[in-house]
Amino acid sequence: MLDQATLDGRIVTAALLLAAARPWREVTLLDIAEAAQVTLAEMRRHFSGKGDILAAFARSIDDEVLARQRARTSNTAARDALFEVVMERFDALAPHKPALRAIAEGGGGDLGLLKALLDSQAWMLNAAGIATDGATGPVKVLGLASVYSSVFRTWLDDDDPGLARTMAALDRKLRRGERTMQTVDEVFQGIDRLAGVLRGRTWRQASSTSAAGSETTSSQSPPST
């Protein structure tokens, strides 16, 4: 929920309202500042550009989705939990669908926005109880980002109140992603086992070399008098 009592909230809201009214590429920073009733100088202290404003909106949706999360039961499958989290995100985005459709069509984005969207996927995974640390963490984040971006396009065109097309697409993509992650986990487990074997072999070789060196030194030492 965007807090209209804050300058950030007013600016983000103004940007979304303008995006819903006309093509996003035509919306300027001055337009957003005037709609939010702030000066460009004030806005610049908070945002570096349109992409930064959208990144702030993405973080506000993160906050809303995370605040809605309930405790998972022990028998809830990770895929089912992630399905619920992503659908919660679409529910939170629903009031802004016209603006998001215009922004998607306008292709407006930058690296700052991309980072914010990847951060969002990491938070969604953790909300579902799926850890994003370790070697496979970035793979999981990128995997969900791919799933989400594909299903997001379906959601934009899904006018069914029950979001049947969106749910079907999400379920299909998550099942496919789950199989891929199982393969990735197996690969990383194999790498870990191989690394452990190599570490043990290297340690044994080093110990053997050290012992052989000690024996050679001992045999070459002059007799004591």
Side-chain angles (χ1 to χ4, degrees), residues 122-141:
W123 281 113
M124 298 305 99
L125 284 163
N126 279 281
I130 302 171
T132 55
D133 52 356
T136 61
V139 180
K140 294 174 186 176
V141 172

Side-chain angles (χ1 to χ4, degrees), residues 27-34 40 43 48-50 53:
V27 176
T28 67
L29 289 172
L30 180 59
D31 292 333
I32 297 172
E34 289 177 347
L40 274 175
M43 191 163 74
S48 61
K50 290 165 64 176
I53 294 172

Side-chain angles (χ1 to χ4, degrees), residues 90 93-94 96-105 148-167 169:
F90 286 134
L93 291 172
H96 312 287
K97 184 179 275 193
L100 295 173
R101 186 180 291 119
I103 291 167
E105 291 171 355
Y148 181 78
S149 63
S150 175
V151 179
F152 179 77
R153 289 190 291 270
T154 301
W155 172 77
L156 285 176
D157 296 326
D158 190 355
D159 295 324
D160 175 13
L163 296 178
R165 286 176 52 209
T166 301
M167 289 193 293

